[in-house]
Amino acid sequence: MSKMEQTRFFQVKPAIYYGLNSIQKLSELNLGRVCIVTDEGMVKFGLLKMITDVLDQHQIRYHVFDDVEPDPSTDIVEKGLYHILLEKPDALIALGGGSAIDSAKAIIYYCYHFKEIFIEPALIQKPIFIALPTTAGTGSEVTNYAVITDKNNNAKIALSDTLMMPDIAILDPKLIESVPAGATAATGMDVLTHGYEAYVSTENNPFSRAYAIKAIELVFKNLYDSLADGSDIHAKANMQIASCMAGIAFNSAGLGITHSIAHAIGARWHLPHGFANAIVLPYVIAFNGNCPRATHFHGRILDAMQIGFKPDHATAKLLADVKALKRQLQLPACLKEHGIVEEEYLASKEKIVQQAMKDVCTTTTPLPPTLEEMNKLFDDVYYGC
Ligand SMILES: NC(=O)c1ccc[n+]([C@@H]2O[C@H](COP(=O)([O-])OP(=O)(O)OC[C@H]3O[C@@H](n4cnc5c(N)ncnc54)[C@H](O)[C@@H]3O)[C@@H](O)[C@H]2O)c1
Ligand SMILES: [Zn+2]
Protein backbone atom coordinates (compact mmCIF):
# COMPACT_ATOMS: atom_id res chain seq x y z
CA MET A 1 0.00 0.00 0.00
CA SER A 2 1.42 3.41 -0.93
CA LYS A 3 1.86 6.02 1.77
CA MET A 4 -0.94 8.10 0.21
CA GLU A 5 -3.44 5.27 0.74
CA GLN A 6 -2.63 5.06 4.43
CA THR A 7 -4.18 7.20 7.16
CA ARG A 8 -1.20 8.95 8.68
CA PHE A 9 -0.89 11.07 11.79
CA PHE A 10 0.75 14.36 12.67
CA GLN A 11 0.18 16.38 15.81
CA VAL A 12 1.74 19.43 17.42
CA LYS A 13 0.77 19.08 21.02
CA PRO A 14 2.15 21.73 23.33
CA ALA A 15 0.84 25.26 23.38
CA ILE A 16 3.99 27.26 22.61
CA TYR A 17 4.63 30.70 24.10
CA TYR A 18 7.76 32.40 22.87
CA GLY A 19 9.57 35.73 22.91
CA LEU A 20 11.26 37.95 25.47
CA ASN A 21 9.62 37.77 28.92
CA SER A 22 7.31 34.95 27.89
CA ILE A 23 8.10 33.35 31.27
CA GLN A 24 5.56 35.84 32.69
CA LYS A 25 2.92 33.59 31.12
CA LEU A 26 3.43 31.28 34.11
CA SER A 27 1.48 33.74 36.27
CA GLU A 28 -1.65 33.36 34.07
CA LEU A 29 -1.86 29.59 34.01
CA ASN A 30 -3.76 28.84 37.24
CA LEU A 31 -1.07 26.40 38.33
CA GLY A 32 -2.03 25.47 41.89
CA ARG A 33 0.84 23.72 43.64
CA VAL A 34 4.02 23.52 41.57
CA CYS A 35 7.05 21.23 41.53
CA ILE A 36 10.13 22.43 39.61
CA VAL A 37 12.57 19.85 38.19
CA THR A 38 15.91 21.44 37.41
CA ASP A 39 19.70 21.23 37.90
CA GLU A 40 22.41 23.06 39.84
CA GLY A 41 23.42 25.14 36.78
CA MET A 42 19.97 26.77 36.81
CA VAL A 43 20.52 27.83 40.42
CA LYS A 44 24.08 29.05 39.71
CA PHE A 45 23.15 31.12 36.64
CA GLY A 46 20.09 32.68 38.31
CA LEU A 47 17.61 31.02 35.94
CA LEU A 48 15.71 29.28 38.71
CA LYS A 49 15.32 32.67 40.44
CA MET A 50 13.83 34.16 37.24
CA ILE A 51 11.08 31.53 37.50
CA THR A 52 10.56 31.58 41.25
CA ASP A 53 10.34 35.42 41.16
CA VAL A 54 7.33 35.11 38.85
CA LEU A 55 5.79 32.44 41.09
CA ASP A 56 6.51 34.47 44.28
CA GLN A 57 4.95 37.63 42.82
CA HIS A 58 1.74 35.68 42.27
CA GLN A 59 1.81 33.72 45.54
CA ILE A 60 2.14 30.41 43.72
CA ARG A 61 3.53 27.71 46.03
CA TYR A 62 6.40 25.61 44.73
CA HIS A 63 8.84 22.86 45.63
CA VAL A 64 12.25 22.54 43.92
CA PHE A 65 14.00 19.29 42.95
CA ASP A 66 17.40 20.46 41.63
CA ASP A 67 19.40 17.22 41.66
CA VAL A 68 19.31 16.60 37.88
CA GLU A 69 22.72 15.87 36.34
CA PRO A 70 23.74 16.06 32.66
CA ASP A 71 22.67 12.87 30.88
CA PRO A 72 20.37 11.92 33.79
CA SER A 73 20.58 8.42 35.17
CA THR A 74 17.85 6.07 36.37
CA ASP A 75 18.96 6.97 39.98
CA ILE A 76 18.08 10.65 39.44
CA VAL A 77 14.70 9.70 38.04
CA GLU A 78 14.02 7.46 41.04
CA LYS A 79 14.94 10.27 43.43
CA GLY A 80 12.71 12.75 41.56
CA LEU A 81 9.86 10.24 41.60
CA TYR A 82 9.84 10.24 45.44
CA HIS A 83 9.57 14.07 45.42
CA ILE A 84 6.58 13.99 43.09
CA LEU A 85 4.83 11.22 44.99
CA LEU A 86 5.26 13.16 48.25
CA GLU A 87 4.49 16.65 46.92
CA LYS A 88 1.52 15.69 44.67
CA PRO A 89 1.86 18.83 42.50
CA ASP A 90 -0.88 20.22 40.24
CA ALA A 91 1.80 21.41 37.82
CA LEU A 92 5.29 20.22 37.03
CA ILE A 93 7.77 22.70 35.58
CA ALA A 94 10.92 21.38 33.88
CA LEU A 95 13.56 24.12 33.76
CA GLY A 96 16.83 23.34 31.99
CA GLY A 97 18.34 21.71 28.94
CA GLY A 98 17.38 18.29 27.63
CA SER A 99 18.64 16.66 30.83
CA ALA A 100 16.18 18.47 33.13
CA ILE A 101 13.27 18.17 30.69
CA ASP A 102 13.95 14.47 30.07
CA SER A 103 14.23 13.82 33.82
CA ALA A 104 10.84 15.46 34.38
CA LYS A 105 9.39 13.38 31.53
CA ALA A 106 10.74 10.14 32.94
CA ILE A 107 9.43 11.07 36.41
CA ILE A 108 5.94 11.64 34.91
CA TYR A 109 6.20 8.36 33.00
CA TYR A 110 7.17 6.24 36.00
CA CYS A 111 4.77 8.09 38.33
CA TYR A 112 1.85 7.31 36.01
CA HIS A 113 2.82 3.66 35.60
CA PHE A 114 3.36 3.29 39.36
CA LYS A 115 -0.10 4.71 40.09
CA GLU A 116 -1.59 2.45 37.42
CA ILE A 117 -0.87 -0.54 39.69
CA PHE A 118 -3.43 0.78 42.22
CA ILE A 119 -5.73 3.17 40.35
CA GLU A 120 -7.93 2.93 37.25
CA PRO A 121 -6.02 4.75 34.44
CA ALA A 122 -8.98 7.09 33.78
CA LEU A 123 -8.84 8.28 37.40
CA ILE A 124 -5.11 9.05 37.49
CA GLN A 125 -4.52 12.79 37.72
CA LYS A 126 -1.52 13.96 35.72
CA PRO A 127 0.02 17.33 36.65
CA ILE A 128 0.07 20.06 33.96
CA PHE A 129 3.52 19.67 32.42
CA ILE A 130 5.35 22.88 31.44
CA ALA A 131 8.79 22.79 29.80
CA LEU A 132 11.10 25.81 29.81
CA PRO A 133 14.18 24.92 27.72
CA THR A 134 17.39 26.74 28.65
CA THR A 135 19.43 25.40 25.72
CA ALA A 136 18.60 25.68 22.02
CA GLY A 137 19.29 22.06 21.26
CA THR A 138 17.25 19.03 22.08
CA GLY A 139 13.70 20.18 21.24
CA SER A 140 12.68 18.00 24.18
CA GLU A 141 9.96 20.56 25.03
CA VAL A 142 7.93 19.26 22.04
CA THR A 143 8.76 15.55 21.91
CA ASN A 144 7.39 12.30 23.35
CA TYR A 145 10.91 11.09 24.04
CA ALA A 146 13.20 11.03 27.07
CA VAL A 147 16.77 9.77 27.05
CA ILE A 148 17.94 8.26 30.34
CA THR A 149 21.40 6.82 31.04
CA ASP A 150 21.89 3.33 32.43
CA LYS A 151 25.19 3.93 34.27
CA ASN A 152 25.78 0.22 34.95
CA ASN A 153 25.87 -0.61 31.24
CA ASN A 154 27.18 2.73 29.86
CA ALA A 155 24.11 2.88 27.65
CA LYS A 156 21.34 5.34 26.89
CA ILE A 157 17.72 4.21 27.15
CA ALA A 158 15.16 6.03 24.97
CA LEU A 159 11.68 6.15 26.50
CA SER A 160 8.84 7.03 24.17
CA ASP A 161 5.25 7.70 25.27
CA THR A 162 2.71 10.46 24.55
CA LEU A 163 2.30 10.70 28.35
CA MET A 164 5.61 12.59 28.40
CA MET A 165 4.66 15.27 25.88
CA PRO A 166 4.59 18.65 27.66
CA ASP A 167 1.27 20.52 27.72
CA ILE A 168 2.97 23.90 27.46
CA ALA A 169 6.39 24.99 26.20
CA ILE A 170 7.76 28.45 27.00
CA LEU A 171 10.67 29.67 24.86
CA ASP A 172 12.06 32.81 26.46
CA PRO A 173 15.42 33.83 24.88
CA LYS A 174 16.48 35.26 28.26
CA LEU A 175 16.76 31.64 29.44
CA ILE A 176 19.49 30.78 26.94
CA GLU A 177 21.62 33.95 27.27
CA SER A 178 24.00 32.36 29.79
CA VAL A 179 24.78 29.16 27.83
CA PRO A 180 28.61 29.04 27.43
CA ALA A 181 30.01 29.30 23.87
CA GLY A 182 31.08 25.63 23.64
CA ALA A 183 27.65 24.41 24.72
CA THR A 184 25.93 26.84 22.30
CA ALA A 185 27.95 25.30 19.44
CA ALA A 186 27.26 21.71 20.52
CA THR A 187 23.54 22.15 21.21
CA GLY A 188 23.15 24.10 17.95
CA MET A 189 24.68 21.18 16.05
CA ASP A 190 22.14 18.93 17.78
CA VAL A 191 19.41 21.11 16.24
CA LEU A 192 21.01 20.79 12.81
CA THR A 193 21.27 17.01 13.23
CA HIS A 194 17.60 16.75 14.27
CA GLY A 195 16.54 18.85 11.29
CA TYR A 196 18.73 16.90 8.85
CA GLU A 197 17.88 13.41 10.13
CA ALA A 198 14.14 14.14 10.30
CA TYR A 199 14.26 15.60 6.78
CA VAL A 200 15.87 12.54 5.18
CA SER A 201 14.18 9.93 7.43
CA THR A 202 12.18 7.06 5.95
CA GLU A 203 9.20 8.33 7.95
CA ASN A 204 9.36 11.93 6.76
CA ASN A 205 6.12 13.54 5.58
CA PRO A 206 5.03 16.94 4.25
CA PHE A 207 4.47 18.35 7.75
CA SER A 208 7.73 17.12 9.28
CA ARG A 209 9.70 18.23 6.20
CA ALA A 210 8.31 21.77 6.48
CA TYR A 211 9.46 22.07 10.10
CA ALA A 212 12.78 20.30 9.47
CA ILE A 213 13.85 22.40 6.50
CA LYS A 214 12.98 25.66 8.25
CA ALA A 215 14.98 24.53 11.28
CA ILE A 216 18.01 23.71 9.09
CA GLU A 217 17.80 27.12 7.42
CA LEU A 218 17.56 28.91 10.78
CA VAL A 219 20.62 27.06 12.07
CA PHE A 220 22.75 28.01 9.06
CA LYS A 221 21.64 31.64 9.43
CA ASN A 222 21.85 32.02 13.19
CA LEU A 223 24.05 29.47 14.95
CA TYR A 224 27.38 31.19 14.41
CA ASP A 225 25.96 34.63 15.28
CA SER A 226 24.31 33.25 18.41
CA LEU A 227 27.75 32.14 19.57
CA ALA A 228 30.10 34.77 18.13
CA ASP A 229 28.20 37.69 19.59
CA GLY A 230 26.87 36.59 22.96
CA SER A 231 24.53 39.60 23.06
CA ASP A 232 22.78 38.77 19.76
CA ILE A 233 19.43 37.97 21.29
CA HIS A 234 17.73 37.77 17.87
CA ALA A 235 20.09 35.00 16.74
CA LYS A 236 19.52 33.21 20.05
CA ALA A 237 15.72 33.54 19.76
CA ASN A 238 15.92 32.12 16.23
CA MET A 239 17.99 29.19 17.46
CA GLN A 240 15.36 28.52 20.15
CA ILE A 241 12.66 28.44 17.47
CA ALA A 242 14.86 26.24 15.25
CA SER A 243 15.36 23.81 18.13
CA CYS A 244 11.64 23.61 18.75
CA MET A 245 10.82 23.15 15.04
CA ALA A 246 13.43 20.43 14.64
CA GLY A 247 11.91 18.72 17.72
CA ILE A 248 8.43 18.82 16.14
CA ALA A 249 9.92 17.35 12.94
CA PHE A 250 11.76 14.43 14.51
CA ASN A 251 8.93 13.66 16.93
CA SER A 252 6.95 12.76 13.82
CA ALA A 253 9.61 11.49 11.41
CA GLY A 254 12.22 9.94 13.73
CA LEU A 255 15.99 10.34 13.43
CA GLY A 256 18.86 8.36 11.94
CA ILE A 257 22.24 6.80 12.55
CA THR A 258 24.02 10.04 13.48
CA HIS A 259 22.00 9.77 16.68
CA SER A 260 22.52 6.01 16.98
CA ILE A 261 26.29 6.47 16.87
CA ALA A 262 26.20 9.62 19.03
CA HIS A 263 24.20 7.80 21.72
CA ALA A 264 26.78 4.98 21.82
CA ILE A 265 29.94 7.15 21.83
CA GLY A 266 28.29 9.73 24.11
CA ALA A 267 27.55 7.09 26.74
CA ARG A 268 31.03 5.48 26.36
CA TRP A 269 33.14 8.66 26.61
CA HIS A 270 30.68 10.98 28.40
CA LEU A 271 30.53 13.37 25.47
CA PRO A 272 27.78 16.03 25.51
CA HIS A 273 24.98 14.88 23.21
CA GLY A 274 25.22 17.74 20.68
CA PHE A 275 29.02 17.50 20.60
CA ALA A 276 28.84 13.79 19.75
CA ASN A 277 26.32 14.51 16.97
CA ALA A 278 28.55 17.29 15.62
CA ILE A 279 31.44 14.84 15.24
CA VAL A 280 29.35 12.14 13.56
CA LEU A 281 27.04 14.15 11.27
CA PRO A 282 29.37 14.77 8.25
CA TYR A 283 30.25 11.06 7.99
CA VAL A 284 26.58 10.11 7.95
CA ILE A 285 25.71 12.75 5.32
CA ALA A 286 28.50 11.27 3.14
CA PHE A 287 27.20 7.73 3.77
CA ASN A 288 23.59 8.76 2.98
CA GLY A 289 24.92 10.18 -0.29
CA ASN A 290 24.91 6.54 -1.49
CA CYS A 291 21.11 6.56 -1.29
CA PRO A 292 19.30 8.26 -4.23
CA ARG A 293 16.32 9.30 -2.07
CA ALA A 294 18.56 10.95 0.54
CA THR A 295 20.60 12.61 -2.23
CA HIS A 296 17.38 14.06 -3.63
CA PHE A 297 16.61 15.53 -0.21
CA HIS A 298 20.16 16.93 0.07
CA GLY A 299 19.45 18.93 -3.09
CA ARG A 300 16.15 20.19 -1.67
CA ILE A 301 17.86 21.39 1.49
CA LEU A 302 20.32 23.40 -0.62
CA ASP A 303 17.49 24.74 -2.82
CA ALA A 304 15.58 25.94 0.25
CA MET A 305 18.64 27.89 1.35
CA GLN A 306 19.17 29.15 -2.21
CA ILE A 307 22.63 27.57 -2.30
CA GLY A 308 23.68 26.69 -5.85
CA PHE A 309 25.28 23.32 -6.61
CA LYS A 310 26.44 21.45 -9.69
CA PRO A 311 24.20 18.59 -10.90
CA ASP A 312 24.99 15.37 -9.01
CA HIS A 313 27.00 17.31 -6.39
CA ALA A 314 24.25 17.92 -3.83
CA THR A 315 25.76 15.64 -1.19
CA ALA A 316 29.27 17.03 -1.68
CA LYS A 317 28.01 20.64 -1.40
CA LEU A 318 25.87 19.99 1.69
CA LEU A 319 28.77 18.14 3.28
CA ALA A 320 31.18 21.01 2.53
CA ASP A 321 28.79 23.54 4.10
CA VAL A 322 28.26 21.45 7.23
CA LYS A 323 32.03 20.98 7.61
CA ALA A 324 32.58 24.74 7.12
CA LEU A 325 30.01 25.49 9.84
CA LYS A 326 31.75 23.04 12.18
CA ARG A 327 35.11 24.70 11.55
CA GLN A 328 33.60 28.14 12.30
CA LEU A 329 32.30 26.69 15.56
CA GLN A 330 35.73 25.19 16.33
CA LEU A 331 34.39 21.66 16.72
CA PRO A 332 36.73 18.68 16.17
CA ALA A 333 36.55 16.70 12.93
CA CYS A 334 36.85 13.25 14.53
CA LEU A 335 37.15 11.42 17.86
CA LYS A 336 40.92 11.08 17.49
CA GLU A 337 41.30 14.83 17.07
CA HIS A 338 39.21 15.22 20.23
CA GLY A 339 41.80 13.18 22.11
CA ILE A 340 40.24 9.72 22.51
CA VAL A 341 43.17 7.29 22.54
CA GLU A 342 43.26 4.60 19.87
CA GLU A 343 43.56 1.64 22.29
CA GLU A 344 40.38 2.76 24.05
CA TYR A 345 38.60 3.16 20.73
CA LEU A 346 39.61 -0.29 19.49
CA ALA A 347 38.72 -1.92 22.80
CA SER A 348 35.22 -0.35 22.78
CA LYS A 349 34.48 -0.60 19.08
CA GLU A 350 32.64 -3.91 18.95
CA LYS A 351 30.28 -3.00 21.79
CA ILE A 352 29.47 0.50 20.53
CA VAL A 353 28.89 -0.76 16.99
CA GLN A 354 26.38 -3.30 18.40
CA GLN A 355 24.66 -0.59 20.43
CA ALA A 356 24.37 1.70 17.40
CA MET A 357 22.95 -1.10 15.23
CA LYS A 358 20.26 -1.77 17.87
CA ASP A 359 19.46 1.90 18.56
CA VAL A 360 15.85 2.86 17.77
CA CYS A 361 17.08 5.76 15.57
CA THR A 362 18.60 3.22 13.15
CA THR A 363 15.07 2.09 12.20
CA THR A 364 14.27 5.34 10.33
CA THR A 365 17.65 6.06 8.74
CA PRO A 366 17.40 6.42 4.92
CA LEU A 367 20.15 3.90 4.18
CA PRO A 368 20.34 1.18 6.85
CA PRO A 369 24.00 0.16 7.20
CA THR A 370 25.20 -3.43 7.23
CA LEU A 371 27.37 -4.43 10.19
CA GLU A 372 30.42 -4.04 7.99
CA GLU A 373 29.33 -0.56 6.87
CA MET A 374 28.66 0.48 10.47
CA ASN A 375 32.18 -0.69 11.41
CA LYS A 376 33.62 1.39 8.57
CA LEU A 377 31.53 4.42 9.63
CA PHE A 378 32.90 4.10 13.16
CA ASP A 379 36.44 4.06 11.81
CA ASP A 380 35.66 7.25 9.86
CA VAL A 381 34.19 8.88 12.96
CA TYR A 382 37.33 7.93 14.93
CA TYR A 383 40.13 8.54 12.41
CA GLY A 384 38.44 11.11 10.17
CA CYS A 385 38.45 10.72 6.40
N1 LIG B 1 14.08 14.18 24.67
C1 LIG B 1 14.58 14.42 23.50
O1 LIG B 1 13.84 14.49 22.52
C2 LIG B 1 16.08 14.58 23.38
C3 LIG B 1 16.63 14.93 22.15
C4 LIG B 1 18.03 15.10 22.10
C5 LIG B 1 18.80 14.95 23.26
N2 LIG B 1 18.22 14.58 24.43
C6 LIG B 1 19.00 14.41 25.68
O2 LIG B 1 19.15 15.72 26.27
C7 LIG B 1 20.39 15.74 27.02
C8 LIG B 1 21.27 16.90 26.59
O3 LIG B 1 20.59 18.12 26.80
P1 LIG B 1 21.29 19.54 26.50
O4 LIG B 1 22.19 19.39 25.34
O5 LIG B 1 20.21 20.54 26.45
O6 LIG B 1 22.24 19.77 27.76
P2 LIG B 1 22.02 19.51 29.34
O7 LIG B 1 20.60 19.68 29.72
O8 LIG B 1 22.66 18.20 29.67
O9 LIG B 1 22.87 20.70 29.97
C9 LIG B 1 24.30 20.67 29.88
C10 LIG B 1 24.89 21.65 30.90
O10 LIG B 1 24.55 22.98 30.52
C11 LIG B 1 24.01 23.69 31.63
N3 LIG B 1 23.04 24.68 31.13
C12 LIG B 1 21.86 24.42 30.54
N4 LIG B 1 21.27 25.59 30.22
C13 LIG B 1 22.10 26.58 30.62
C14 LIG B 1 22.03 28.00 30.58
N5 LIG B 1 21.01 28.66 30.02
N6 LIG B 1 23.06 28.70 31.10
C15 LIG B 1 24.13 28.07 31.63
N7 LIG B 1 24.26 26.73 31.70
C16 LIG B 1 23.24 26.00 31.20
C17 LIG B 1 23.36 22.62 32.48
O11 LIG B 1 23.26 23.07 33.83
C18 LIG B 1 24.32 21.46 32.31
O12 LIG B 1 25.37 21.56 33.23
C19 LIG B 1 21.07 14.41 26.79
O13 LIG B 1 20.78 13.52 27.86
C20 LIG B 1 20.41 13.91 25.50
O14 LIG B 1 20.48 12.50 25.35
C21 LIG B 1 16.88 14.44 24.50
ZN1 LIG C 1 19.78 15.00 19.45
Side-chain angles (χ1 to χ4, degrees):
M1 199 193 293
S2 77
K3 278 190 175 166
M4 214 181 72
E5 291 165 290
Q6 297 164 17
T7 301
R8 301 180 76 198
F9 177 74
F10 185 87
Q11 185 181 33
V12 183
K13 162 83 190 291
I16 300 168
Y17 298 96
Y18 61 100
L20 278 175
N21 296 320
S22 48
I23 56 168
Q24 293 297 334
K25 193 72 200 170
L26 285 172
S27 64
E28 298 168 25
L29 295 173
N30 196 13
L31 296 179
R33 193 176 162 77
V34 171
C35 192
I36 303 175
V37 175
T38 191
D39 66 41
E40 263 187 356
M42 301 303 106
V43 181
K44 186 174 142 199
F45 287 98
L47 300 175
L48 177 63
K49 187 169 180 307
M50 283 168 68
I51 303 307
T52 54
D53 280 354
V54 177
L55 301 180
D56 285 336
Q57 276 159 20
H58 295 85
Q59 287 93 43
I60 299 168
R61 283 187 307 154
Y62 55 84
H63 169 85
V64 177
F65 171 67
D66 61 3
D67 288 351
V68 172
E69 291 165 358
D71 297 326
S73 64
T74 39
D75 299 349
I76 297 293
V77 175
E78 197 181 314
K79 215 168 156 186
L81 184 58
Y82 286 126
H83 283 253
I84 298 297
L85 289 170
L86 284 175
E87 294 295 323
K88 303 182 182 64
D90 305 302
L92 194 145
I93 294 179
L95 173 71
S99 296
I101 299 177
D102 282 9
S103 299
K105 285 175 166 180
I107 290 167
I108 288 178
Y109 176 89
Y110 287 112
C111 189
Y112 183 90
H113 289 300
F114 174 73
K115 286 182 180 172
E116 224 180 9
I117 302 171
F118 312 101
I119 308 172
E120 275 292 313
L123 300 175
I124 298 175
Q125 300 241 327
K126 214 182 127 245
I128 301 171
F129 182 22
I130 305 166
L132 289 101
T134 65
T135 58
T138 66
S140 183
E141 69 275 12
V142 287
T143 73
N144 293 330
Y145 300 105
V147 186
I148 303 300
T149 298
D150 171 3
K151 279 186 178 167
N152 296 333
N153 294 307
N154 264 345
K156 288 197 169 189
I157 310 162
L159 300 175
S160 168
D161 196 314
T162 49
L163 263 179
M164 298 186 291
M165 174 65 88
D167 299 295
I168 295 170
I170 300 182
L171 317 177
D172 191 326
K174 282 270 164 212
L175 293 176
I176 64 166
E177 269 191 316
S178 50
V179 180
T184 301
T187 51
M189 286 301 292
D190 192 23
V191 180
L192 181 62
T193 310
H194 294 158
Y196 170 75
E197 296 212 288
Y199 195 72
V200 300
S201 144
T202 53
E203 286 299 312
N204 72 11
N205 55 71
F207 297 100
S208 66
R209 287 200 299 270
Y211 282 104
I213 209 153
K214 186 68 191 167
I216 296 169
E217 187 190 329
L218 285 171
V219 172
F220 273 104
K221 287 190 178 150
N222 295 282
L223 176 52
Y224 180 69
D225 288 347
S226 79
L227 165 133
D229 179 355
S231 63
D232 190 340
I233 198 78
H234 289 287
K236 286 181 188 294
N238 281 336
M239 281 305 300
Q240 226 172 12
I241 290 168
S243 171
C244 189
M245 286 184 160
I248 292 169
F250 85 76
N251 195 54
S252 164
L255 292 164
I257 55 173
T258 311
H259 269 79
S260 309
I261 300 174
H263 288 153
I265 62 174
R268 171 62 186 84
W269 287 291
H270 307 292
L271 305 174
H273 174 70
F275 182 85
N277 273 325
I279 292 183
V280 179
L281 180 63
Y283 304 105
V284 172
I285 293 175
F287 178 73
N288 288 345
N290 299 314
C291 163
R293 186 172 171 273
T295 308
H296 163 74
F297 286 127
H298 291 168
R300 285 177 62 174
I301 292 172
L302 294 166
D303 286 340
M305 293 194 289
Q306 293 172 330
I307 297 172
F309 60 96
K310 289 186 198 149
D312 300 330
H313 283 67
T315 300
K317 179 62 183 146
L318 181 64
L319 188 56
D321 287 2
V322 169
K323 283 183 176 174
L325 177 65
K326 269 186 64 178
R327 276 194 300 277
Q328 261 191 320
L329 302 174
Q330 300 183 351
L331 290 160
C334 61
L335 283 176
K336 192 169 184 199
E337 187 182 315
H338 177 56
I340 307 284
V341 290
E342 191 172 15
E343 289 72 26
E344 265 188 31
Y345 166 67
L346 293 173
S348 310
K349 187 174 158 186
E350 195 183 333
K351 184 175 173 197
I352 53 183
V353 164
Q354 295 289 350
Q355 280 176 349
M357 289 297 281
K358 280 192 280 181
D359 194 290
V360 64
C361 297
T362 303
T363 56
T364 45
T365 209
L367 182 61
T370 61
L371 188 60
E372 200 186 339
E373 285 167 337
M374 188 64 107
N375 268 288
K376 163 80 173 67
L377 255 174
F378 261 97
D379 281 344
D380 294 346
V381 167
Y382 180 74
Y383 296 105
C385 67

